[in-house]
Amino acid sequence: MARAVSTNRKITVTVIAWSIGFLIFFPILWTILTSFKTEAEAIASPPSFLFFEWTTENYGIVMERSNYFLHFMNSVVISVGSTLIGLLIAVPAAWSMAFVPGKNTKNVLMWMLSTKMLPPVGVLIPIYLIFKNVGLLDTRTGLVIVLTLINLPIIIWMLYTYFKEIPVDILEAARMDGANLRNEIIYILTPMAVPGIASTMLLNIILAWNEAFWTLNLTAANAAPLTAFIASYSSPEGLFYAKLSAASTMAIAPILIMGWFSQKQLVRGLTFGAVK
């Protein structure tokens, strides 16, 4: 029998959860509010929270100074493209690790995950030189390749945990009915793991969208995504906080909206297999 939870405990937990959520969201809220201030109000001390002269001038200046839609399309192509290519590679890899008997599966998974511990700056120079020599510098293709390789260990690891929750008997029954490897993965395994695949895809789009180190170092103008768009508002003369906040708001708005509308799918996928 489930233990009853008192009303006071529910209220306490709810208040704590909302407080933590507000603290996490507050920097984003402050950035959005600052984007509607003048530069003088943005650096005023003490700062004003809501009671200030609201203006949309910063957004107009940002749109005039920068090609926002080019940066936006670069971010979409790079994040979605690297995620889709990563899934095409990760689904068969995770299937083999989850359902093909082997003694070194966990060691391979740990090795792949350990590659995320390598500081990116340690391989920046060789990758930069390779991209420069083969003509991939400042191209969408180059960034798609880099972000695919960076996020591939996470994609494989997440899909492996989802696939392990699928009963092996179902796959064996499909094999007995004559399904080959391709049909098994496409028509049996993939539909059953849709929640896990969807959450993996959403999470990796967010990771690729927010990637700054590689996008700033491997692009200049043509393939620069929204992370480079934000960085362009840091100048030797100083930081223009209001304009920087407007650029940041325009950069994070698409991913915030996507995350808001897909939060149920994301939570469902992340908890896939947790309760049987």
Side-chain angles (χ1 to χ4, degrees):
M1 181 181 293
R3 184 176 61 180
V5 180
S6 64
T7 304
N8 291 335
R9 184 174 181 181
K10 288 182 180 179
I11 295 174
T12 302
V13 171
T14 301
V15 171
I16 293 174
W18 275 99
S19 300
I20 295 174
F22 179 76
L23 288 174
I24 294 173
F25 181 73
F26 182 77
I28 299 176
L29 175 61
W30 186 259
T31 300
I32 296 173
L33 292 175
T34 305
S35 69
F36 291 100
K37 297 179 180 180
T38 63
E39 290 295 345
E41 290 173 331
I43 61 174
S45 182
S48 55
F49 186 67
L50 292 174
F51 303 101
F52 56 86
E53 184 180 352
W54 292 65
T55 178
T56 58
E57 179 184 6
N58 298 311
Y59 289 93
I61 295 174
V62 168
M63 292 296 292
E64 291 177 1
R65 173 178 168 179
S66 306
N67 190 344
Y68 171 77
F69 294 104
L70 173 63
H71 295 293
F72 173 77
M73 287 306 302
N74 287 339
S75 288
V76 171
V77 172
I78 292 167
S79 58
V80 176
S82 62
T83 300
L84 292 179
I85 295 175
L87 285 175
L88 290 176
I89 300 172
V91 169
W95 172 88
S96 65
M97 292 182 181
F99 300 111
V100 177
K103 298 181 179 179
N104 297 321
T105 298
K106 292 185 177 179
N107 293 334
V108 173
L109 287 170
M110 289 303 300
W111 171 79
M112 287 192 303
L113 195 62
S114 68
T115 60
K116 296 291 294 179
M117 304 175 188
L118 174 68
V121 70
V123 292
L124 173 60
I125 294 178
I127 290 181
Y128 181 89
L129 294 176
I130 291 172
F131 273 41
K132 182 178 180 180
N133 292 331
V134 300
L136 290 177
L137 199 62
D138 196 21
T139 63
R140 292 176 177 177
T141 303
L143 285 179
V144 167
I145 294 173
V146 168
L147 295 184
T148 298
L149 297 176
I150 289 174
N151 293 327
L152 191 59
I154 297 178
I155 301 176
I156 293 177
W157 187 283
M158 291 184 66
L159 292 181
Y160 169 78
T161 59
Y162 299 137
F163 289 173
K164 287 294 288 185
E165 299 296 331
I166 297 176
V168 182
D169 296 341
I170 296 178
L171 301 180
E172 292 179 349
R175 294 167 193 165
M176 293 180 63
D177 290 337
N180 56 30
L181 178 59
R182 175 178 174 275
N183 292 335
E184 178 184 333
I185 294 177
I186 295 178
Y187 299 110
I188 307 298
L189 180 67
T190 303
M192 295 182 65
V194 165
I197 293 175
S199 64
T200 301
M201 181 178 68
L202 291 172
L203 181 60
N204 280 274
I205 287 176
I206 294 172
L207 291 175
W209 188 281
N210 295 329
E211 175 60 39
F213 179 82
W214 292 107
T215 55
L216 292 176
N217 286 286
L218 297 180
T219 61
N222 297 328
L226 288 171
T227 48
F229 168 73
I230 297 174
S232 66
Y233 285 87
S234 176
S235 65
E237 293 80 11
L239 291 176
F240 297 92
Y241 289 104
K243 297 177 183 61
L244 179 61
S245 297
S248 299
T249 301
M250 295 171 67
I252 66 176
I255 207 70
L256 282 177
I257 295 172
M258 188 195 77
W260 176 266
F261 285 104
S262 61
Q263 58 182 320
K264 290 184 178 180
Q265 181 62 49
L266 186 59
V267 173
R268 180 187 174 193
L270 292 175
T271 57
F272 179 70
V275 180
K276 294 185 177 181

